[in-house]
Amino acid sequence: MLSQEDWKMYYLRTEDSFDAAHFLWNYEGKCRNIHGHRWKVVAEIKSPSLSQVEQTRGMIVDFGNLKSDLKALCDRYDHSLIIETGSLKETTLAALCDEKFNVQEVPFRPTAENFSHCFFTELSKKGYAVHRIEVYETPKNCAIYEE
């Protein structure tokens, strides 16, 4: 049986955002057209204990590091056209790149659901014990991924 101590957990939450356009390839509906969002990403990490290392004593991690790492991930997509690999003709993609547009190609359909998983994975790779990622496409609509 788990004791009360086993259920204790600390959480940190931060958020950032990026402005980007996307479209849903092979989708029947308005979202098949290029459109933009102010994407908001809320990251939450967890730990059952706090650091005892002098610099970060009493913290899960330095908030500044978490904020910086999330910002770097968001900046990758800021002011870009996010496309799914294979969703544009090679000539169309080449023309956009020739015009120096910021095109970010991803190996998944660029939905809020897939981005929540993407950000979870990327922050986990940086060593964070990610609890939950929320990705908002609009102020009222978000997708959540947690493990």
Side-chain angles (χ1 to χ4, degrees):
M1 178 172 239
L2 294 174
S3 72
Q4 196 172 18
E5 281 297 311
D6 294 324
W7 290 98
K8 292 184 178 180
M9 191 68 61
Y10 295 94
Y11 297 91
L12 286 185
R13 180 184 290 196
T14 192
E15 65 182 61
D16 209 311
S17 62
F18 60 96
D19 297 306
H22 74 143
F23 65 94
L24 300 182
W25 181 44
N26 288 332
Y27 178 81
E28 295 301 321
K30 293 190 306 184
C31 293
R32 71 176 298 279
N33 294 302
I34 295 173
H35 61 285
H37 297 285
R38 157 71 47 104
W39 302 78
K40 181 171 89 168
V41 181
V42 180
E44 189 173 283
I45 65 170
K46 64 182 178 179
S47 178
S49 61
L50 300 177
S51 172
Q52 296 304 312
V53 176
E54 191 56 37
Q55 178 68 15
T56 56
R57 189 166 48 84
M59 304 175 186
I60 296 176
V61 297
D62 186 315
F63 243 129
N65 293 340
L66 177 60
K67 288 172 21 181
S68 176
D69 287 338
L70 180 60
K71 181 177 180 359
L73 292 171
C74 288
D75 284 352
R76 177 186 310 165
Y77 299 107
D78 194 36
H79 286 77
S80 72
L81 170 60
I82 303 166
I83 65 164
E84 180 180 0
T85 300
S87 64
L88 291 177
K89 294 177 184 175
E90 286 298 320
T91 53
T92 304
L93 183 55
L96 290 169
C97 292
D98 285 347
E99 292 292 338
K100 306 286 191 259
F101 283 106
N102 181 7
V103 179
Q104 293 295 315
E105 195 169 358
V106 294
F108 52 82
R109 190 179 235 189
T111 62
E113 293 89 340
N114 283 327
F115 269 114
S116 65
H117 182 263
C118 173
F119 278 86
F120 188 103
T121 300
E122 292 299 315
L123 284 174
S124 295
K125 285 180 187 175
K126 293 186 173 292
Y128 294 104
V130 182
H131 172 66
R132 174 185 182 116
I133 298 289
E134 299 174 9
V135 174
Y136 289 79
E137 278 191 353
T138 71
K140 295 181 181 181
N141 300 308
C142 85
I144 298 167
Y145 184 84
E146 61 183 45
E147 291 182 357

